[in-house]
Amino acid sequence: MSVPPPLVKIRDVSKSYRRGSQILPVLQHIVLDIAEGAFLALMGPSGSGKTTLLNLIAGIDRADSGSITVGDVDIMSLSETDLAAWRSSSIGFIFQFYNLIPVLNARENVELPLLLTGLSRKERREHAETALQVVNLADRMDHYPSELSGGQQQRVAIARAVVTDPLMLVADEPTGDLDRASAKDILDLMCRLNTELGKTIIMVTHDPRAAERAHIIRDLDKGVLNDVSGQTPL
Amino acid sequence: MFLAKLLFKNAFRHKLRTALTVLGVAVAVLAFGLLRTVVSAWYSGVEASSASRLVTRNAISLVFMLPASYREKIRQIEGVKTVSWGNWFGGIYIDEKNFFPNFAVDPKTYLELYPEYLLSLEEKTAFLHDRKGCMVGRLTARKYGWKQGDTVTLKGTIFPGNWEFVVDGIYRGRDRGTDESQFFFHWEYLNESMKKTAPERAEQIGFFILGIKNPDRAAEVAAAVDRSFKNSISETITETEKAFQMGFVSMTEAIVIAVQLVSFVVIIIIMAVVANTMAMSVRERTGEYVVFKTLGFGSYHLAGLIFGESFVICLTGCAVGILGTFPAAKAFGDAMSTFLPVFFVSPRTVYLDVLASVAVATIAALIPAFRVMHIGIAQGLRKVV
Ligand SMILES: Nc1ncnc2c1ncn2[C@@H]1O[C@H](COP(=O)(O)OP(=O)(O)OP(=O)(O)O)[C@@H](O)[C@H]1O
Ligand SMILES: [Mg+2]
């Protein structure tokens, strides 16, 4: 029986911040494999390093030591420019506060990451519209973020994250700013993206209700990773 | 296209702030343009002077005369084609504040040397044959409502008495830079009167204008003229018309430099204003720029957005300012026509306006763009959240 190699392979990753003469270790010797198609929830108390770890995996921050491989790319060895190109094609970002561009309407926001691809204007539009259909917002395409509810804005953000068809989605507290009903919608949507489109998802959350939707829950405490869930292998 | 639309939207996101900044740029460009135009009006005499004309005057000072007999001697000098001459008359029309330059000249040769003064053939003939005739620039004629055939009386200051002239011609300038405020009459008329009333002041000439065959040899010819009057009672200085005009301007050079300095100070002030606007806008939107970076947009995209926004603001202001400069210069020029008869916005001034705006836009965007380009994404995202 051959086990497929993991999509994300984290080996002995450490990171610390320096504040003046003080060195503040944030992540210590992290080892983590994430299989393709997994839905992983990263939990832990505030300040435990969840966001930091997620940022390292997504290539928007740099570790001090260790190695991170995504697919067959050693992302720690990429230059800033290559890393940016890799991010744009491989990662879909979902933030706690949606981070949409307020002067662009929903369709334009979703279209934004496609500007870095070779797609024509027409193709970009079509892709954006499809992505908005996936998140059930086809009727709000011309709305500006200020004209949408928090849950709707997060759905636009999710459409923006999937429109490039990335390898994986990273979400930092995607439901952190939403009421329970909207949060449920967002989680339902993420589950659908995981099961129907096969997207690998790494989600940082405080909320146990959100975490239990994931297949795997890992707990980060003071920079050290612990197992929590009964590891449902895929 | 998409990003262009975005930077336009960004530029006008904070409507009041942008409107005020655009207004500031417009006013600065207007002020800059007007001040530049004042400076070029100041130098208009120099600009309008011809390379093929030399001016010969008394070596001691312009207020000392030269003997009329020099005419023949100058004519014989190698390289000289035409010799004309004249006196500064300094006449006053009714009141001292009605100033316009007036000269007694030799009409035939003078008009030959100054083809930029345009008269109809009929006017020219009338003027050449009328001993008491005069020709006057249309700016001055319009100002005092003179028509062809009118009789105009000037009160002499250097040459006492009331002098009557008949307006035979009203000249137009061939070029925009031609001075249309001057008044010319027959030197012979002045000379004959002097012979009768003050014979010791007759046969005296204030300046000679020399038309030369080859402008490239101007310096040689000028030296030859001065050499031939060396050690005589009245030594001469001969220089190109440009150098001669420059001599007048340089007396007031300090003022011109001050005006130029102020025009640059205006630009520096508006630079600070635009830089402040850009710094504020970009700081408010740091989070959005970080999101762009997260999505994989590179430094050049971000710099493009920020510089583009700065350019939109500055060039809008510049356009408004330039459009305003023309009517403003017209009004200003009309009011100041006595002192600055040649007053128009030159293409060079418009180029400088655009150049200054581009410089302001670039410098104002420099620091914000640099900051955004160098902000770490992880760091930036923390600030957003
Ligand atoms: N730029 C920085 N300089 C110094 N310390 C930092 C910096 N960024 C993060 N930290 C520290 O690193 C630790 C981990 O931060 P991180 O944001 O990863 O925690 P987190 O688990 O995501 O917390 P939360 O649940 O509150 O979002 C915290 O103690 C934080 O104070
Ligand atoms: Mg966090």
Side-chain angles (χ1 to χ4, degrees), chain B residues 116-191:
Chain B
E116 59 263 49
Y117 301 146
L118 302 180
L119 288 171
S120 70
L121 188 62
E122 171 220 343
E123 287 176 307
K124 189 172 167 182
T125 320
F127 175 49
L128 291 181
H129 293 96
D130 179 4
R131 206 176 58 92
K132 292 179 82 174
C134 71
M135 77 169 205
V136 54
R138 65 172 169 179
L139 196 70
T140 297
R142 196 189 312 140
K143 194 159 168 186
Y144 303 112
W146 298 339
K147 302 268 173 318
Q148 215 182 342
D150 285 0
T151 299
V152 171
T153 305
L154 298 190
K155 188 152 64 163
T157 52
I158 307 168
F159 305 94
N162 284 325
W163 299 71
E164 277 192 3
F165 305 99
V166 177
V167 178
D168 286 326
I170 292 169
Y171 75 85
R172 282 185 302 116
R174 182 191 58 194
D175 311 312
R176 285 193 91 177
T178 307
D179 186 349
E180 292 183 331
S181 72
Q182 305 174 91
F183 181 106
F184 301 100
F185 62 93
H186 290 241
W187 182 83
E188 217 33 69
Y189 175 37
L190 175 69
N191 198 41

Side-chain angles (χ1 to χ4, degrees), chain B residues 9-256:
Chain B
K9 284 188 167 182
N10 275 342
F12 293 97
R13 206 190 279 200
H14 222 296
K15 292 208 174 51
L16 180 64
R17 185 201 291 161
T18 302
L20 289 174
T21 308
V22 166
L23 182 71
V25 174
V27 171
V29 165
L30 181 79
F32 181 78
L34 275 184
L35 292 172
R36 292 263 113 199
T37 306
V38 167
V39 171
S40 54
W42 215 288
Y43 284 104
S44 63
V46 179
E47 285 303 316
S49 52
S50 154
S52 62
R53 292 193 291 249
L54 298 178
V55 179
T56 300
R57 58 184 163 98
N58 192 302
I60 302 168
S61 152
L62 203 54
V63 298
F64 292 99
M65 302 283 133
L66 294 168
S69 59
Y70 278 23
R71 274 178 298 203
E72 314 322 318
K73 279 182 110 174
I74 294 174
R75 249 183 226 128
Q76 279 153 28
I77 288 166
E78 168 85 31
V80 174
K81 195 166 71 180
T82 319
V83 177
S84 188
W85 61 92
N87 282 353
W88 170 254
F89 182 65
I92 290 167
Y93 178 61
I94 304 174
D95 192 284
E96 269 184 45
K97 70 175 194 294
N98 299 331
F99 174 82
F100 51 85
N102 45 80
F103 302 91
V105 298
D106 179 57
K108 192 171 161 303
T109 50
Y110 203 81
L111 284 175
E112 252 170 64
L113 286 179
Y114 287 88
E116 59 263 49
Y117 301 146
L118 302 180
L119 288 171
S120 70
L121 188 62
E122 171 220 343
E123 287 176 307
K124 189 172 167 182
T125 320
F127 175 49
L128 291 181
H129 293 96
D130 179 4
R131 206 176 58 92
K132 292 179 82 174
C134 71
M135 77 169 205
V136 54
R138 65 172 169 179
L139 196 70
T140 297
R142 196 189 312 140
K143 194 159 168 186
Y144 303 112
W146 298 339
K147 302 268 173 318
Q148 215 182 342
D150 285 0
T151 299
V152 171
T153 305
L154 298 190
K155 188 152 64 163
T157 52
I158 307 168
F159 305 94
N162 284 325
W163 299 71
E164 277 192 3
F165 305 99
V166 177
V167 178
D168 286 326
I170 292 169
Y171 75 85
R172 282 185 302 116
R174 182 191 58 194
D175 311 312
R176 285 193 91 177
T178 307
D179 186 349
E180 292 183 331
S181 72
Q182 305 174 91
F183 181 106
F184 301 100
F185 62 93
H186 290 241
W187 182 83
E188 217 33 69
Y189 175 37
L190 175 69
N191 198 41
E192 309 238 299
S193 309
M194 284 299 112
K195 275 187 193 156
K196 282 183 220 141
T197 56
E200 73 286 357
R201 296 184 66 186
E203 300 298 325
Q204 298 278 305
I205 282 171
F207 54 86
F208 291 95
I209 308 286
L210 283 52
I212 54 176
K213 287 175 187 151
N214 183 356
D216 295 338
R217 294 187 52 210
E220 259 171 76
V221 177
V225 173
D226 292 343
R227 212 176 315 117
S228 69
F229 299 112
K230 195 115 187 116
N231 300 322
S232 66
I233 351 150
S234 309
E235 297 197 344
T236 59
I237 287 185
T238 304
E239 52 196 352
T240 60
E241 192 182 29
K242 200 168 217 115
F244 176 74
Q245 293 283 2
M246 200 63 198
F248 280 108
V249 174
S250 61
M251 287 189 250
T252 50
E253 193 128 58
I255 298 171
V256 180

Side-chain angles (χ1 to χ4, degrees), chain A residues 17 19 24 26 45-52 173 206, chain B residues 379 382:
Chain A
Y17 286 107
R19 301 204 72 197
L24 191 82
V26 179
S46 185
S48 57
K50 304 182 295 296
T51 297
T52 307
E173 317 237 14
H206 269 125
Chain B
Q379 207 58 32
R382 272 177 210 284

